[in-house]
Amino acid sequence: MRKHTMGLLAIAAASSLVLSACGGAEPGEPTGDDTAAAGGGETIRIGIKYDQPGLGLQEGDTFTGFDTDVARYVADKLGYAEDQIEWVETISANRETALQNDEVDMIFATYSINDERKELIDFAGPYFVAGQDLLVSVDNTDITGPEDLEGKNLCSVTGSTSAENIKAEYAEGVQLVERPGYADCATALASGAVDAVTTDDIILAGLAAAEENAGKFKVVGNPFSEERYGVGLPDGSTDTCEEVNAAITEMIEDGTWEELVTANTEGTGYVPNDELNPPTPDECE
């Protein structure tokens, strides 16, 4: 990966619990000089999900969820106020493309760090470690883990690796059904078109707790992977990565991380794996 230099980190004054979002270059400004975290630009473009209750959800002009709250905190530390954030919908299938095409400066979108993606982009973090699990109808007693999906219909979001992981490692005969968003998978589950939905446990907990799904679904509660959520950055963003990691570390140490997790999963019964969380950010490459 190419390495670049950039300006010094601009630290904004401490604000409220939910602070501003993650740093990047000004719109249209080249990222080749790794200027994303220099601060002081007019706006910062942050890619998030728009359809994940508890993580990244758009409701009118309001954006809520753990990912958006973490993004706000990091961006504040990079010198960007709340009103300087430009939220950009970034679906799973287009995340690498959005970074490569300079459509966003950073991505906070339940973006699991893996080696294949690191060939194309950089990651800061992780800032959270989830576990892949299953969402089923509340009265379903047949599916207790991925091995029970043989011959079943399983929904996941286009571009996600979750369902492919199950097919490769647990149930070769599972029938994969892709939908553009997790809300679409929940609709398919409610109608009986699929038997289960798979993704990370914290996402499933958010879906189950959504008002329109109350009492319909349950999370199996048998996680079978580690999904390390990172901050997606353009390739060559070593200095930006280091500054984002410093902000994540501060967020964990000052207690904000725990408060944000609790605030965004309250009422779901979800408890993060305390052997994996809070995580320690990786060294930047």
Side-chain angles (χ1 to χ4, degrees):
M1 293 182 180
R2 60 188 187 278
K3 309 299 178 187
H4 304 284
T5 60
M6 77 174 173
L8 297 174
L9 172 65
I11 303 295
S15 56
S16 60
L17 169 66
V18 178
L19 305 171
S20 318
C22 235
E26 294 181 20
E29 183 177 310
T31 58
D33 292 328
D34 197 15
T35 58
E42 292 183 1
T43 61
I44 178 169
R45 303 161 301 169
I46 299 181
I48 60 170
K49 297 290 183 65
Y50 278 18
D51 65 342
Q52 289 182 352
L55 285 138
L57 182 68
Q58 180 193 30
E59 295 178 297
D61 295 329
T62 302
F63 298 89
T64 60
F66 179 68
D67 279 351
T68 61
D69 288 346
V70 172
R72 289 185 179 96
Y73 185 102
V74 173
D76 180 79
K77 297 302 177 181
L78 300 180
Y80 292 91
E82 174 92 29
D83 61 4
Q84 291 177 288
I85 299 170
E86 178 185 344
W87 301 111
V88 180
E89 184 176 19
T90 313
I91 64 173
S92 295
N94 294 343
R95 288 177 295 200
E96 289 85 39
T97 301
L99 288 165
Q100 291 172 324
N101 291 347
D102 191 31
E103 297 169 9
V104 295
D105 300 308
M106 296 182 177
I107 293 178
F108 290 76
T110 59
Y111 203 178
S112 296
I113 300 170
N114 64 39
D115 290 339
E116 182 178 357
R117 289 168 176 163
K118 287 168 70 174
E119 291 294 320
L120 303 173
I121 63 164
D122 284 359
F123 280 104
Y127 60 89
F128 190 83
V129 182
Q132 187 177 345
D133 210 323
L134 302 170
L135 187 71
V136 297
S137 297
V138 69
D139 58 354
N140 187 312
T141 58
D142 296 329
I143 299 175
T144 60
E147 299 87 353
D148 298 326
L149 292 170
E150 194 72 32
K152 305 289 188 182
N153 293 323
L154 175 67
C155 190
S156 66
V157 170
T158 304
S160 172
T161 60
S162 299
E164 290 291 350
N165 290 343
I166 290 178
K167 189 175 183 68
E169 299 181 23
Y170 297 99
E172 184 178 355
V174 66
Q175 303 301 309
L176 303 185
V177 178
E178 290 190 339
R179 292 289 185 268
Y182 292 105
D184 301 294
C185 278
T187 299
L189 181 61
S191 71
V194 299
D195 301 291
V197 179
T198 190
T199 187
D200 304 339
D201 49 9
I202 190 172
I203 300 174
L204 298 176
L207 283 174
E211 183 177 354
E212 63 272 19
N213 297 329
K216 295 181 181 179
F217 308 134
K218 65 180 179 182
V219 180
V220 168
N222 183 19
F224 48 92
S225 74
E226 292 181 15
E227 304 299 330
R228 304 167 68 246
Y229 291 171
V231 182
L233 302 170
D235 185 30
S237 299
T238 304
D239 292 340
T240 306
C241 172
E242 291 173 353
E243 295 180 4
V244 173
N245 278 353
I248 291 170
T249 299
E250 183 174 349
M251 177 181 64
I252 291 168
E253 291 177 349
D254 70 15
T256 300
W257 181 92
E258 183 175 359
E259 292 174 3
L260 294 180
V261 172
T262 300
N264 285 292
T265 61
E266 192 171 5
T268 68
Y270 174 73
V271 179
N273 185 326
D274 60 9
E275 294 182 1
L276 303 174
N277 287 292
T280 299
D282 299 335
E283 290 188 12
C284 299
E285 299 180 4

